[in-house]
Amino acid sequence: ARYHPRAGHKDQLRMAPNIRSTQQGIDPMTSGSIPHPQGKKGRILSGIQPTGNLHLGNYLGAIRNWAAMQTDYQCLFCIVDMHAITIWQEPAELARATREVAAGYIAAGLDPATNTLFVQSHVPAHAQLAWIFNCVARMGWLNRMTQFKDKAGKNREAASSGLYVYPNLMAADILVYKATHVPVGEDQKQHLELARDIAQKFNNDYGIELFPLPEPVIQGPGMRVMSLRDGTKKMSKSDPSAYSRINMTDSEDDIAQKIRKATTDPEPLPGTVEGLENRPEASNLLNIYAALTDRTLAEVLVETEGWQFSQFKTRLTEAAVGVLGPITAEMQRLMADPAEIDSILKRGADSANEIASAVLKEAYSAVGFLPSDR
Ligand code: AMP
Ligand code: TRP
């Protein structure tokens, strides 16, 4: 069904159908003004909010996977400060956390010379395109977003209107670069679907093949790092307990102490994956160990079968310190030199702006906004 501006009210409320494989005939490599570089499989855009501290879950569940894709794709990695303020952020802390995420990206191996690392608010086209998308997306679509329901909680009247239209801004983040692939965690899949629906409705309404439909790349299936205190809860930036998570800036001593204090059960470690059933804490620690040593769970269980937790925790600490140590050291070096971070982010913003302003211009023209540069 074509979504025409004059179509009936009902039509406009219906969710646009998802077209999965055809990309509507748009070749994202050549469409519009910004072809992708030769030899790349597509263009990636992803982002993390600068709230709280970056932790092991962000590293194993997101940044490490991005680093693995950086040679095959043209990559833009964003620090989404505009998303962060949909919930109140102390200004000084927001600024600190923004530089910390940048330092985390770089220290974890995202090369600022070959990837575009930038801050969302430095590229005004995100907000400008988001306004258009506020007028494309339907209230009915946003009403279905489970993250809004979770974050707004019981008192929806008190949630910011930014939190409600957050998915439209996220769609703009992606589509303003005509990104083809978006690596995200499972929890962001619904927002990606919405971005696809927005792209499709925009293209249909304005009769232009402007936006390719971005594909979600769901990160390392199953790689959910859980809290060290409670193996049934996700490791999270916002958990009040510092012992629940290993931060990317933690010292060796911090890491050792947090692992030592991690919740366990009284049994020795099993030799098979089935043996981990109903043992969430053991599963979590073993999954972390497997990820840190680049092995499968089954492989590490061969090594650790029959071990007591004390022995295993010593080994896990060595593995965590081995992987995180160099990252932490580089983050600390960068955090001590904010001018270096800022200049990397400035370069990133310049190259992001180049792509984004060209796409915004195409969108403005499609909508019928008069050109401002004549
Ligand atoms: P957040 O910390 O929720 O802003 O998420 C930033 C990125 O890190 C997203 O791609 C998440 O999917 C990923 N992430 C956050 N927490 C975890 C976790 N505990 N395990 C795995 N991935 C995570
Ligand atoms: N909503 C994402 C999260 O909470 C962050 C985000 C904002 C994002 N814009 C994005 C992720 C664009 C991927 C692409 O984790």
Side-chain angles (χ1 to χ4, degrees):
R2 191 185 153 96
Y3 285 85
H4 194 271
R6 272 164 301 178
H9 186 64
K10 259 201 196 133
D11 266 358
Q12 297 202 23
L13 272 176
R14 205 171 345 120
M15 193 64 129
N18 285 312
I19 296 178
R20 292 233 143 265
S21 51
T22 63
Q23 288 283 343
Q24 289 191 307
I26 301 175
D27 180 356
M29 299 311 208
T30 54
S31 80
S33 49
I34 40 130
H36 298 173
Q38 288 284 311
K40 299 283 182 181
K41 291 183 186 165
R43 178 179 287 146
I44 279 179
L45 179 290
S46 198
I48 293 182
Q49 295 191 41
T51 51
N53 296 107
L54 281 183
H55 54 74
L56 188 64
N58 297 131
Y59 176 65
L60 294 176
I63 307 173
R64 184 174 81 150
N65 305 312
W66 301 354
M69 291 185 284
Q70 61 187 329
T71 47
D72 289 343
Y73 292 84
Q74 184 196 12
C75 296
L76 299 116
F77 298 115
C78 189
I79 302 152
V80 288
D81 55 347
M82 290 160 67
H83 278 99
I85 64 162
T86 55
I87 289 171
W88 170 254
Q89 304 297 326
E90 288 299 331
E93 169 53 19
L94 180 67
R96 186 207 65 78
T98 301
R99 289 200 181 98
E100 183 181 295
V101 176
Y105 283 177
I106 300 163
L110 302 180
D111 181 357
T114 53
N115 301 292
T116 301
L117 310 183
F118 69 105
V119 178
Q120 185 183 31
S121 65
H122 291 177
V123 183
H126 291 237
Q128 292 167 306
L129 186 61
W131 179 258
I132 294 178
F133 290 171
N134 286 344
C135 305
V136 171
R138 305 290 93 188
M139 299 277 285
W141 301 2
L142 293 176
N143 287 340
R144 284 191 272 277
M145 296 295 113
T146 57
Q147 184 171 292
F148 174 77
K149 293 176 195 167
D150 292 346
K151 288 200 176 176
K154 284 205 180 74
N155 192 1
R156 255 185 236 182
E157 297 282 309
S160 75
S161 40
L163 187 66
Y164 184 68
V165 292
Y166 175 122
N168 297 341
L169 178 59
M170 179 164 162
D173 298 339
I174 297 163
L175 297 174
V176 84
Y177 301 101
K178 296 186 180 176
T180 54
H181 296 80
V182 183
V184 280
E186 189 70 34
D187 60 326
Q188 295 298 314
K189 240 173 110 175
Q190 194 184 34
H191 288 161
L192 240 316
E193 290 290 324
L194 188 88
R196 293 167 62 92
D197 290 327
I198 288 174
Q200 194 168 26
K201 180 161 159 51
F202 183 98
N203 291 345
N204 283 338
D205 284 354
Y206 293 107
I208 180 177
E209 294 192 340
L210 183 59
F211 296 118
L213 306 188
E215 292 289 340
V217 181
I218 301 302
Q219 297 280 259
M223 193 58 234
R224 278 184 89 208
V225 180
M226 310 309 278
S227 159
L228 299 182
R229 308 257 64 183
D230 177 351
T232 63
K233 261 176 44 191
K234 219 172 108 166
M235 185 178 285
S236 149
K237 289 172 188 158
S238 55
D239 194 314
S241 164
Y243 281 100
S244 71
R245 86 190 139 252
I246 294 175
N247 294 320
M248 284 176 70
T249 48
D250 279 347
S251 67
E252 291 188 17
D253 287 345
D254 292 337
I255 294 174
Q257 200 183 18
K258 287 178 182 179
I259 292 177
R260 213 178 311 122
K261 290 203 172 200
T263 309
T264 55
D265 58 44
E267 303 295 320
L269 299 182
T272 62
V273 177
E274 295 75 55
L276 283 169
E277 239 172 82
N278 300 321
R279 298 182 65 184
E281 281 80 21
S283 300
N284 184 38
L285 295 179
L286 281 157
N287 267 318
I288 293 174
Y289 183 51
L292 287 170
T293 56
D294 280 316
R295 289 179 295 172
T296 64
L297 194 53
E299 282 165 357
V300 305
L301 287 169
V302 172
E303 179 194 352
T304 60
E305 175 165 16
W307 288 15
Q308 299 297 326
F309 273 102
S310 54
Q311 182 185 6
F312 172 62
K313 282 180 166 182
T314 307
R315 196 50 213 103
L316 178 61
T317 301
E318 285 165 12
V321 167
V323 171
L324 290 180
I327 296 176
T328 303
E330 177 64 359
M331 275 182 84
Q332 263 147 12
R333 188 191 70 76
L334 286 163
M335 291 297 278
D337 187 359
E340 183 182 347
I341 297 179
D342 293 354
S343 91
I344 290 170
L345 293 174
K346 161 96 175 61
R347 265 187 283 130
D350 288 345
S351 70
N353 256 311
E354 224 168 281
I355 304 177
S357 60
V359 176
L360 182 73
K361 211 166 166 181
E362 292 179 313
Y364 270 26
S365 154
V367 166
F369 290 168
L370 284 181
S372 59
D373 52 1
R374 268 193 241 142

